[in-house]
Structure formats: C-alpha cells, structure tokens
Amino acid sequence: MRKQNGIIFSFIILIHSSVSAQIRMPYLIKKGTTEQLIVDGKPFLVLGGELGNSTASSLDYMRPVWSKFKAMNLNTILSPVYWELLKPKEGTFDFTLVDNIIKAARKNNLRVILLWFGSWKNSMSCYAPAWIKTNESRFPRAQDNTRKGLEILSAFSKNNLDADEAAFAVLMKHIKETDKSHTVIMVQVENEIGMLTEARERTADADKAFDRDVPRELMNYLITNKDSLVPELKDQWSKTNFTTNGNWENVFGKSPATDEIFQAWYYAKYANAVAAAGKNEYSLPMYVNAALNYRNVKPGQYPSAGPLPHLMDIWQVAAPSIDILSPDFYNPYFKQYCDLYTRRNNPLFIPEIRFEPSDAAKVFYAIGHYQAIGYSPFSIESTDKPKEEPISKAYSILSQLSPEILKYTGTGKMEGVLLDSQNKKQEIILGNYKLSVAHDYTLGWSPDALKPGWPITGCIIIQENENDFIIAGTGVVVTFSVIGTNRISAGILQANEGKYINGKWQPGRRMNGDQDHQGRHIRVPVSEWNIQRVKLYQYK
C-alpha cells in the first residue's frame, strides 16, 4: 500500500507540474472590453522594440545592442527568425541564432516575440531557403497576368505550405523544449503578407480556385454575420444584392476588390495552417501584421490581400489559429488605422511603427485609448543615443505605471489623448468629470508655440476612484469640470509629481502655485515627462 501511495503521490505531482507549466505559458485572456497578454500568470504590457531585418542574423551584430535596450527601458524585443538560416538544407536545422537571442534576452531580463520570416516577408519570398527558391517545379511561384513568375511563393501550392508548416512546427517544438522560463511570449506568423503587381495570383491553380464556388465555410459566415461585417466588405457584397451562391465573381462582382477578397481567403488559410502546425507543438499567442494601403491605391499597387482592415472578416473566419491582426505604421494616419483595427473584437497590438520622436506620444494614446497590448518601434537598435530617445522616456513612465494600466485595462476608467497643431484639444469623460486636455502650446507660454508644426504630444489618464486621477505623459494641459451642472465647479485639491518604485507610489514635488497655475490646471510641458496624481474636489 505504501508503494501504491507513493506512485499515486508522484502521479499527482507530475500532473500538478504539468498544469503549472501550462498556467505559466503565455496566453491571451478577455479583460473587460479588450484582451490582455498573460505572462508568468500575470498581465503583461509589451514595451517593445523590433530589430532591423538583418541585425539578428549575426551574433557579432547583436552583442553591442543589448545595453541599448536596457537604456531605452524596453521589456521586450521583437526578433526575426529566418527560414533560410534556420533550415539551410532540407532536413537540417540550425538553432544557433534563435537560442542565442533567447539566452541573451533572458540574461538581460527581456522577453522575446519571434517573427517568423517564412514564405513571405513584405510580400516577397526572400527568406525562403535556397533549396526552395531553386526548385520551381516543386515549389512554384505566383504569376502575374502574363504568366510571368514572381519572387513570391504561390499560396496555392501544397508543397510550399507543407515545407513552411514543417519548419515552423519544428521551431515551435524547439522553443517549447528549450525555453523553460517562457522568455518567448508571442510569435508573428510570416511578415506583411500581400500580393504585389496583381490583386491576386494568376497561376492555373489560382484561376481554377477562382472559378469554383465560394467556399461554404465563408458563405455561411457571411450570411450569419451579415449585419456586423466590416462596412467595406458588406458594401462589396451588396453590389451583387448579397448573392449567396456561385463563384467569386458571382458573389462579389467583377472587380479588383473581388480578386483581393479571393486572394485574402487563400493567404489566410495558408497562414492559419502554418500557425496551427506551430500551435500543435507549442500554443503561444500568434499574430499576423499588415502593410497598410494609406496612399489609397488599387490592390496590387499595395500588398493586396494581407490582414488589412477591410478584410478583417475574411482573415478571422479563415484563420482561427491567428489571435490578432496587427497594423504596421509608416504613415500619418495613426488614429484612423487604430480605429479600424479595433473592430470585430480585434485587440490592438502594434508590432512595428517607424522609429521617430512621435512614437513617445502615440504609445500613451494607443495604450490609454485603445487598451493596446503593446507597442514596438522598428529598428530600435539604430539609435546612438538610447537614453535620450523620447520613446525611452515614455517607456520609463509606462514601465512604472504598468501595474495600474493593467489593472484598469478594459474597465472604462482609462483613456489616452493624442494632440498636435491640427488637433489641439480633446475632451474625455471619466466618471462625473469632463477633462479638457489641450496641447501645452495652447497656453502661448513657449516661444515655439508661434512656429508651425507643433510636436505631437499625448498622455494617459486613469481614474482611480471618484475624485482621484493619474495623469502621465508629455506636452499637455488638463482642466476639469463637473458633468451636467454649471453651479458646481471642480477644483484641484492637491497634485503630486512622483514615481512608482516597485509598484508603490513615491510622491515628489507638490505641484501647486506656478506648477498648476494657481489651481487652474495640471500641466506637463513639451519636452518634459512625468506622472502626477491628482485629487479633485467640488465647490459651489
């Protein structure tokens, strides 16, 4: 009996250890109006930076950059994994680069999001191994309307898909077996998938698929979700009076938009199969990213059929193994595309944005207004003055505030503001108060306010309880009023600048007198960065 009890006890320990490992594995969970990333059993805010495409291909290039990440207050790096280097020969894997990235990140107290540069990177198949590229008969390419081959693997080839799936599955299995501390927290599947020069592929297999009936899986989804489809897709479908049978042109009409919808379905199916193969080995959260059509050109003049906002329904129904559709930002339309990407219950994660000073204001808005999971400027290692970068100062504040941000995410008690010379003021409602947030230059106190092109500024505001607020950011002026009455005024009872140290508030200066304009407002000047905790009161 003793032996049996020992066996039972050991079995219980084994089960407990397995369950504990699963609990610690990163995952996404619903939180109020959005989703949160859970790492080591706790909510996690990604304050990231993406490496330039080629930096991670060399251990020598990586060695000097780790100190920059610490100086910039990052907690996560986004690093490519190159198919051509991971599997240089068919049947041969080399995990040297991957293992070194993970090991060095762990040593520097950083998490890692891996970017799978597989079949497609910025539309092209430039990271496919040589043994794939040089065997066109086995691994066919996409073609244009003249049947000319493109430097793009065909999404209609089972051989292409099988090769990508197999490599990605081995990668995920390797991470599961070697990354016991869960340094890797998410994975990007492919990179900026999209068809170029054409809206869709013109191979014989693609043409046959185009002439077949729209898959019943998609048709059933469209019928069931007709009233909640993104407007762009619903409008395209309406052109055939919402036809529910026939091939792609029967259902969506004859147009480049139809070609793009068709291609999106097959790109999404391909990406989903790759993701599913990886998740079958190790089920980390996975996302895909998109190159945006901000110039308003036709499909094929931008990367057609990627996980774009007007194709969200297509991607979501075709790729259930993909957790998030993400925008890459290299355009001035930040609010517009964030709005578009938070439709269809899609949480916002910004894995790539041009590395520039405005990032430091945009990150406050993304996290405060959209409850973003994370943010990541591109080529983060390219700076020579990491401590002086505006994003470093923003990340310093956000890393201090992370426990509060994550506590209030999805609760309706947190907001973000983004301001510039065209959008100088924004009003937000939190509880019984209206907060009027204006650009610092609206005060007219700075001589730079007379110059055109004001710097982009922003902040995050959290309502801790009825009268208590946290305001953090740069270049803003905040005034308060009581909603629904002109007879009762809101006053600033006290305001303290300070820091969070190990999650606990440490007040610094009392921001009275000139610092709050004798009780008129809360101010964080342009080029300054701070956190203020504010207590209001009401008087007649």
PDB file of all heavy atoms in Angstrom, residues 36 75 124 126 135 182 235 243 273 280 352 366 466 507 531:
ATOM      1  N   GLN A  36      -5.984  40.848 -22.686  1.00  0.00           N
ATOM      2  CA  GLN A  36      -4.671  41.076 -22.110  1.00  0.00           C
ATOM      3  C   GLN A  36      -3.775  39.886 -22.387  1.00  0.00           C
ATOM      4  O   GLN A  36      -4.233  38.749 -22.514  1.00  0.00           O
ATOM      5  CB  GLN A  36      -4.767  41.297 -20.596  1.00  0.00           C
ATOM      6  CG  GLN A  36      -5.221  42.674 -20.187  1.00  0.00           C
ATOM      7  CD  GLN A  36      -5.098  42.905 -18.685  1.00  0.00           C
ATOM      8  OE1 GLN A  36      -5.316  42.010 -17.878  1.00  0.00           O
ATOM      9  NE2 GLN A  36      -4.764  44.131 -18.305  1.00  0.00           N
ATOM     10  N   ASN A  75      11.015  46.186 -22.323  1.00  0.00           N
ATOM     11  CA  ASN A  75      10.872  44.897 -21.637  1.00  0.00           C
ATOM     12  C   ASN A  75      10.760  43.737 -22.620  1.00  0.00           C
ATOM     13  O   ASN A  75      10.738  42.577 -22.209  1.00  0.00           O
ATOM     14  CB  ASN A  75       9.693  44.904 -20.662  1.00  0.00           C
ATOM     15  CG  ASN A  75       8.335  45.079 -21.340  1.00  0.00           C
ATOM     16  OD1 ASN A  75       8.180  44.878 -22.540  1.00  0.00           O
ATOM     17  ND2 ASN A  75       7.340  45.462 -20.549  1.00  0.00           N
ATOM     18  N   MET A 124       7.337  39.467 -50.492  1.00  0.00           N
ATOM     19  CA  MET A 124       8.279  38.654 -51.244  1.00  0.00           C
ATOM     20  C   MET A 124       8.696  37.409 -50.460  1.00  0.00           C
ATOM     21  O   MET A 124       8.552  37.338 -49.245  1.00  0.00           O
ATOM     22  CB  MET A 124       9.510  39.482 -51.611  1.00  0.00           C
ATOM     23  CG  MET A 124       9.195  40.854 -52.186  1.00  0.00           C
ATOM     24  SD  MET A 124       8.051  40.835 -53.602  1.00  0.00           S
ATOM     25  CE  MET A 124       9.126  40.224 -54.867  1.00  0.00           C
ATOM     26  N   CYS A 126      11.720  36.308 -49.987  1.00  0.00           N
ATOM     27  CA  CYS A 126      13.178  36.481 -49.952  1.00  0.00           C
ATOM     28  C   CYS A 126      13.862  35.640 -48.891  1.00  0.00           C
ATOM     29  O   CYS A 126      15.060  35.368 -48.988  1.00  0.00           O
ATOM     30  CB  CYS A 126      13.527  37.954 -49.761  1.00  0.00           C
ATOM     31  SG  CYS A 126      12.693  38.736 -48.370  1.00  0.00           S
ATOM     32  N   ASN A 135      14.066  25.371 -56.880  1.00  0.00           N
ATOM     33  CA  ASN A 135      13.329  24.199 -57.351  1.00  0.00           C
ATOM     34  C   ASN A 135      11.883  24.619 -57.644  1.00  0.00           C
ATOM     35  O   ASN A 135      10.952  24.261 -56.936  1.00  0.00           O
ATOM     36  CB  ASN A 135      13.372  23.092 -56.299  1.00  0.00           C
ATOM     37  CG  ASN A 135      12.923  21.748 -56.853  1.00  0.00           C
ATOM     38  OD1 ASN A 135      12.254  21.680 -57.884  1.00  0.00           O
ATOM     39  ND2 ASN A 135      13.285  20.677 -56.167  1.00  0.00           N
ATOM     40  N   HIS A 182       9.938  30.683 -20.328  1.00  0.00           N
ATOM     41  CA  HIS A 182       8.948  31.444 -21.101  1.00  0.00           C
ATOM     42  C   HIS A 182       9.444  32.836 -21.466  1.00  0.00           C
ATOM     43  O   HIS A 182       8.735  33.834 -21.323  1.00  0.00           O
ATOM     44  CB  HIS A 182       7.623  31.531 -20.342  1.00  0.00           C
ATOM     45  CG  HIS A 182       7.056  30.195 -19.974  1.00  0.00           C
ATOM     46  ND1 HIS A 182       6.534  29.334 -20.905  1.00  0.00           N
ATOM     47  CD2 HIS A 182       6.962  29.565 -18.778  1.00  0.00           C
ATOM     48  CE1 HIS A 182       6.127  28.232 -20.305  1.00  0.00           C
ATOM     49  NE2 HIS A 182       6.386  28.340 -19.020  1.00  0.00           N
ATOM     50  N   ASP A 235     -20.243  46.298 -48.229  1.00  0.00           N
ATOM     51  CA  ASP A 235     -20.539  47.113 -49.410  1.00  0.00           C
ATOM     52  C   ASP A 235     -20.191  46.365 -50.695  1.00  0.00           C
ATOM     53  O   ASP A 235     -20.946  46.409 -51.674  1.00  0.00           O
ATOM     54  CB  ASP A 235     -19.761  48.428 -49.333  1.00  0.00           C
ATOM     55  CG  ASP A 235     -20.006  49.306 -50.549  1.00  0.00           C
ATOM     56  OD1 ASP A 235     -21.148  49.769 -50.730  1.00  0.00           O
ATOM     57  OD2 ASP A 235     -19.051  49.525 -51.331  1.00  0.00           O
ATOM     58  N   THR A 243     -25.690  38.071 -53.111  1.00  0.00           N
ATOM     59  CA  THR A 243     -25.784  36.730 -53.687  1.00  0.00           C
ATOM     60  C   THR A 243     -25.089  35.712 -52.777  1.00  0.00           C
ATOM     61  O   THR A 243     -24.005  35.970 -52.236  1.00  0.00           O
ATOM     62  CB  THR A 243     -25.127  36.706 -55.072  1.00  0.00           C
ATOM     63  OG1 THR A 243     -25.853  37.577 -55.938  1.00  0.00           O
ATOM     64  CG2 THR A 243     -25.112  35.304 -55.659  1.00  0.00           C
ATOM     65  N   ALA A 273      -2.820  27.554 -41.453  1.00  0.00           N
ATOM     66  CA  ALA A 273      -2.253  26.206 -41.411  1.00  0.00           C
ATOM     67  C   ALA A 273      -0.861  26.216 -40.790  1.00  0.00           C
ATOM     68  O   ALA A 273      -0.501  25.322 -40.009  1.00  0.00           O
ATOM     69  CB  ALA A 273      -2.213  25.611 -42.819  1.00  0.00           C
ATOM     70  N   ASN A 280       0.220  23.378 -32.549  1.00  0.00           N
ATOM     71  CA  ASN A 280       0.112  21.960 -32.211  1.00  0.00           C
ATOM     72  C   ASN A 280       1.318  21.486 -31.410  1.00  0.00           C
ATOM     73  O   ASN A 280       1.231  20.562 -30.601  1.00  0.00           O
ATOM     74  CB  ASN A 280      -0.043  21.124 -33.478  1.00  0.00           C
ATOM     75  CG  ASN A 280      -0.391  19.671 -33.179  1.00  0.00           C
ATOM     76  OD1 ASN A 280      -1.332  19.389 -32.445  1.00  0.00           O
ATOM     77  ND2 ASN A 280       0.379  18.749 -33.736  1.00  0.00           N
ATOM     78  N   GLU A 352       5.023  47.067 -35.128  1.00  0.00           N
ATOM     79  CA  GLU A 352       6.014  47.765 -35.957  1.00  0.00           C
ATOM     80  C   GLU A 352       5.500  49.160 -36.294  1.00  0.00           C
ATOM     81  O   GLU A 352       4.396  49.319 -36.806  1.00  0.00           O
ATOM     82  CB  GLU A 352       6.268  46.974 -37.240  1.00  0.00           C
ATOM     83  CG  GLU A 352       7.401  47.495 -38.086  1.00  0.00           C
ATOM     84  CD  GLU A 352       7.704  46.593 -39.284  1.00  0.00           C
ATOM     85  OE1 GLU A 352       7.404  45.377 -39.212  1.00  0.00           O
ATOM     86  OE2 GLU A 352       8.237  47.110 -40.284  1.00  0.00           O
ATOM     87  N   ALA A 366      -2.206  54.900 -27.668  1.00  0.00           N
ATOM     88  CA  ALA A 366      -2.538  53.522 -28.024  1.00  0.00           C
ATOM     89  C   ALA A 366      -2.934  52.709 -26.796  1.00  0.00           C
ATOM     90  O   ALA A 366      -3.917  51.961 -26.810  1.00  0.00           O
ATOM     91  CB  ALA A 366      -1.357  52.870 -28.738  1.00  0.00           C
ATOM     92  N   GLU A 466     -13.553  58.109  -7.546  1.00  0.00           N
ATOM     93  CA  GLU A 466     -14.376  59.240  -8.000  1.00  0.00           C
ATOM     94  C   GLU A 466     -13.586  60.531  -8.199  1.00  0.00           C
ATOM     95  O   GLU A 466     -13.756  61.224  -9.206  1.00  0.00           O
ATOM     96  CB  GLU A 466     -15.509  59.487  -7.003  1.00  0.00           C
ATOM     97  CG  GLU A 466     -16.458  60.594  -7.456  1.00  0.00           C
ATOM     98  CD  GLU A 466     -17.596  60.822  -6.470  1.00  0.00           C
ATOM     99  OE1 GLU A 466     -17.701  60.037  -5.504  1.00  0.00           O
ATOM    100  OE2 GLU A 466     -18.361  61.777  -6.668  1.00  0.00           O
ATOM    101  N   PRO A 507       5.674  59.995  -3.748  1.00  0.00           N
ATOM    102  CA  PRO A 507       5.435  61.379  -4.157  1.00  0.00           C
ATOM    103  C   PRO A 507       6.709  62.211  -4.113  1.00  0.00           C
ATOM    104  O   PRO A 507       7.568  62.006  -3.259  1.00  0.00           O
ATOM    105  CB  PRO A 507       4.409  61.872  -3.135  1.00  0.00           C
ATOM    106  CG  PRO A 507       4.578  60.984  -1.952  1.00  0.00           C
ATOM    107  CD  PRO A 507       5.008  59.658  -2.486  1.00  0.00           C
ATOM    108  N   ILE A 531       4.723  61.861 -14.166  1.00  0.00           N
ATOM    109  CA  ILE A 531       3.484  61.282 -13.658  1.00  0.00           C
ATOM    110  C   ILE A 531       2.995  62.194 -12.544  1.00  0.00           C
ATOM    111  O   ILE A 531       3.767  62.572 -11.656  1.00  0.00           O
ATOM    112  CB  ILE A 531       3.710  59.871 -13.087  1.00  0.00           C
ATOM    113  CG1 ILE A 531       4.387  58.952 -14.105  1.00  0.00           C
ATOM    114  CG2 ILE A 531       2.385  59.267 -12.613  1.00  0.00           C
ATOM    115  CD1 ILE A 531       4.832  57.619 -13.529  1.00  0.00           C
TER     116      ILE A 531
END
